[in-house]
Amino acid sequence: MTDDDLAAHARALISENAYLTLSTTDADGAPWTCPVYFAPEDDHTFVWVSESGARHSRNLAARPRVSLVVFDSTVAPYHGRAVYAVGEARELSGEALDRALASYPRGDGDGASEVTLEDVSGASPYRMYAMVAAERWVLCPRDPGQPCDLHGEARDHRVQL
């Protein structure tokens, strides 16, 4: 497995999984995690819609440094497949909002309704958010107890992309 293979593996996980787990912190530093339906805008940008009054939305408005994980919950135990990222999240407006609306919801949709500018602005309680990943990692894919092809390690480990 090459670095390009790991990047392709990460892109596949992101495209095949509709939810990410977002982690924010409150004013006291207490963590808060929640699942959000998301769409990738590109390899580094994850977009979602949430109520502006939701705990995670309030947290990221005050403390934009967040982390997330996209993982495949359908694999057998000990076959973990995940992408991890840390970066800055923010409520979108202007051209950034227009770009995000073009990629959200996902092309496959799978029942997600269209989101319009009116749905995420003005008097609506909903807003569109994005996290731009400053750093990303992927859990090396391998069978349990077997070394990964790229690193020769027979343990779970993340590789920076």
Side-chain angles (χ1 to χ4, degrees), residues 20 22 24 34 36-41 45-62 64 66 68 88-93 96-97 99-101 103-104 115 119-121 124-132:
L20 60 79
L22 178 68
T24 62
C34 63
V36 295
Y37 172 82
F38 81 101
E41 187 175 300
T45 307
F46 303 81
V47 298
W48 67 91
V49 173
S50 290
E51 281 190 84
S52 59
R55 189 172 182 175
H56 61 276
S57 299
R58 293 189 324 266
N59 284 348
L60 73 83
V66 301
L68 63 80
E88 301 281 324
R90 64 185 174 95
E91 180 182 325
L92 299 177
S93 62
L97 178 56
R99 277 192 314 276
L101 285 167
S103 63
Y104 188 95
V115 175
D119 293 329
V120 292
S121 62
S124 173
Y126 295 96
R127 295 293 183 260
M128 183 164 273
Y129 298 87
M131 188 269 248
V132 177

